[in-house]
Amino acid sequence: MLILSVESSCDETAVAITRDGREILSDKVASQVEMHALYGGVVPEIASRRHAEAIEGLYREAIREAGIQPCEIDAIAATFAPGLIGALLVGLNFAKGLAFSLGKPLIPVHHHRGHVAANYLVHPELEPPFCALVASGGHTLILGVDGYTSCRVLGCTRDDSAGEAFDKVARVMGLGYPGGVEIDRIAEGCDETAYKLPRARVSGSPHDMSFSGLKTAMINIVHNAEQKGEELRLGDLAASFRRAVVDEIVPRVIDCAECEGYKTVVLAGGVAANARLRETITDAASKHGLKLYLPPKKLCGDAAAMIGAQGYYEFLAGNVGDMSQNAYASLAADYTALPER
Ligand code: KG4
Ligand code: ZN
């Protein structure tokens, strides 16, 4: 089954063609990062406009690169939640138009389920059940994935997402946007014990996370140094921060897997590209006898192939939309019914 998929939930416009949820024929992404970097973060209005400008060209490129004709497409999948509402609507409406004109089914796909499904494209043997970490710019959560289209939220951040903390801290450190990659880069080989940073605990919810106290501690360190005219060791500071984020995440993911009896752990989302996170969870999983699947770095961030992969399984489960399909800025990955319009 050939699926054309569309992703436009944040600042990447993407169109892909995938086969049977497991094979990428083409995966085109137009990033808007350079434009948003001018403002230090994503400007929703600019994101929507850029999606509208880029999407048709990406569609043509995706078709050409896959070497197929539009009539060969069996279904159209698109991210419908969560994300920036104006941005989501551009991709979803494009997908609706295409589905209508080609007379093919429309498959609405949840962005977090898509991030998890990126792993199906590179790990042919991977199938549910497993425990997944989804760590992106907008969300950080631990999912119990019991079937391709059924999951439970086992833990989540109570405030900022891990990616948001990386981006905000990077901005204060003068490292530009998006900051996760930069912090990861300058932290390499530096002393991660150099700066003492807090580790949060959400009382009564051992699998929930919190990153805002850590972010504030980092902002205070930078501002205090500025006020006193002291030089910061940026590499060591980045390494200490990266370590603190990893310490917040990894034990909880391992504990969720063990408590719920999962034998397999899967990483997903932009932050899953983080070198220290990958290293630490690899060690922890092996110590606890858990099988671990990591997506390659290029499949961690937002792209459309992951939406096609999940779309295939949503289609098999009968989760098909129609021309009244709406987009939603917030919706948990374990939704069973859609919110009121
Ligand atoms: O999943 P994603 O591409 O988009 C959303 O769905 O939000 O995640 C983007 C986030 C950004 O916050 C970015 O800074 C972070 O992923 N990120 C990283 C790394 N690469 C991207 N964070 C830490 N280390 C990295 N290497
Ligand atoms: Zn994402």
Side-chain angles (χ1 to χ4, degrees):
M1 175 178 191
L2 287 184
I3 293 186
L4 181 138
S5 50
V6 177
E7 155 62 38
S8 68
S9 64
C10 191
D11 58 352
E12 328 275 354
T13 324
V15 181
I17 314 278
T18 49
R19 181 181 282 124
D20 297 340
R22 294 281 178 168
E23 187 193 343
I24 301 176
L25 275 64
S26 61
D27 192 13
K28 308 305 291 179
V29 182
S31 176
Q32 308 173 358
V33 160
E34 276 174 28
M35 171 58 84
H36 298 294
L38 299 173
Y39 303 92
V42 179
V43 182
E45 175 65 16
I46 294 176
S48 309
R49 282 165 191 250
R50 285 280 169 126
H51 287 312
E53 286 162 13
I55 199 154
E56 193 180 339
L58 288 170
Y59 160 72
R60 291 189 194 288
E61 278 182 47
I63 293 277
R64 189 180 47 77
E65 196 173 296
I68 60 161
Q69 297 298 318
C71 60
E72 294 176 66
I73 298 165
D74 296 302
I76 318 291
T79 308
F80 78 106
L84 301 171
I85 193 67
L88 283 168
L89 282 168
V90 174
L92 180 63
N93 281 328
F94 184 83
K96 279 161 81 168
L98 205 55
F100 183 73
S101 64
L102 295 174
K104 303 291 178 181
L106 174 79
I107 314 168
V109 176
H110 191 284
H111 186 75
H112 300 161
R113 293 188 186 185
H115 269 302
V116 172
N119 285 279
Y120 302 143
L121 295 162
V122 281
H123 302 302
E125 70 287 8
L126 174 65
E127 42 187 48
F130 54 78
C131 181
L133 167 76
V134 181
S136 69
H139 302 82
T140 297
L141 60 151
I142 303 167
L143 290 176
V145 179
D146 299 317
Y148 285 107
T149 58
S150 65
C151 60
R152 293 169 296 138
V153 178
L154 304 174
C156 66
T157 179
R158 291 295 187 98
D159 38 56
D160 293 348
S161 71
E164 204 176 341
F166 269 109
D167 293 342
K168 285 188 181 153
V169 162
R171 186 158 67 190
V172 175
M173 290 172 72
L175 297 174
Y177 173 86
V181 185
E182 272 304 289
I183 290 190
D184 205 15
R185 190 181 62 79
I186 69 163
E188 225 35 59
C190 292
D191 179 5
E192 62 185 23
T193 62
Y195 290 87
K196 296 277 162 285
L197 291 166
R199 306 293 193 264
R201 282 198 164 276
V202 180
S203 138
S205 300
H207 296 145
D208 282 352
M209 295 158 272
S210 163
F211 298 97
S212 75
L214 176 59
K215 180 188 70 186
T216 306
M218 285 290 290
I219 293 170
N220 288 341
I221 289 173
V222 175
H223 286 170
N224 286 343
E226 274 169 10
Q227 279 164 5
K228 292 181 189 160
E230 286 170 6
E231 192 84 3
L232 280 170
R233 298 187 309 281
L234 281 186
D236 289 349
L237 186 58
S240 305
F241 172 70
R242 186 174 71 157
R243 172 84 247 168
V245 173
V246 169
D247 282 352
E248 187 71 12
I249 295 173
V250 172
R252 287 171 174 79
V253 176
I254 300 291
D255 203 47
C256 271
E258 293 202 315
C259 288
E260 299 287 332
Y262 295 109
K263 302 276 180 283
T264 303
V265 169
V266 169
L267 249 55
V271 181
N274 188 270
R276 197 76 183 96
L277 175 62
R278 295 169 81 91
E279 207 172 273
T280 310
I281 200 141
T282 301
D283 289 347
S286 120
K287 204 166 122 206
H288 290 261
L290 295 163
K291 185 139 185 53
L292 175 70
Y293 289 93
L294 300 173
K297 289 191 183 180
K298 70 174 172 37
L299 286 178
C300 290
D302 290 348
M306 66 186 205
I307 301 304
Q310 182 61 24
Y312 174 70
Y313 293 103
E314 299 289 349
F315 180 82
L316 294 186
N319 299 332
V320 172
D322 60 25
M323 290 301 121
S324 69
Q325 179 66 52
N326 210 345
Y328 303 91
S330 334
L331 181 69
D334 57 357
Y335 68 95
T336 45
L338 293 181
E340 293 283 311
R341 287 210 182 83

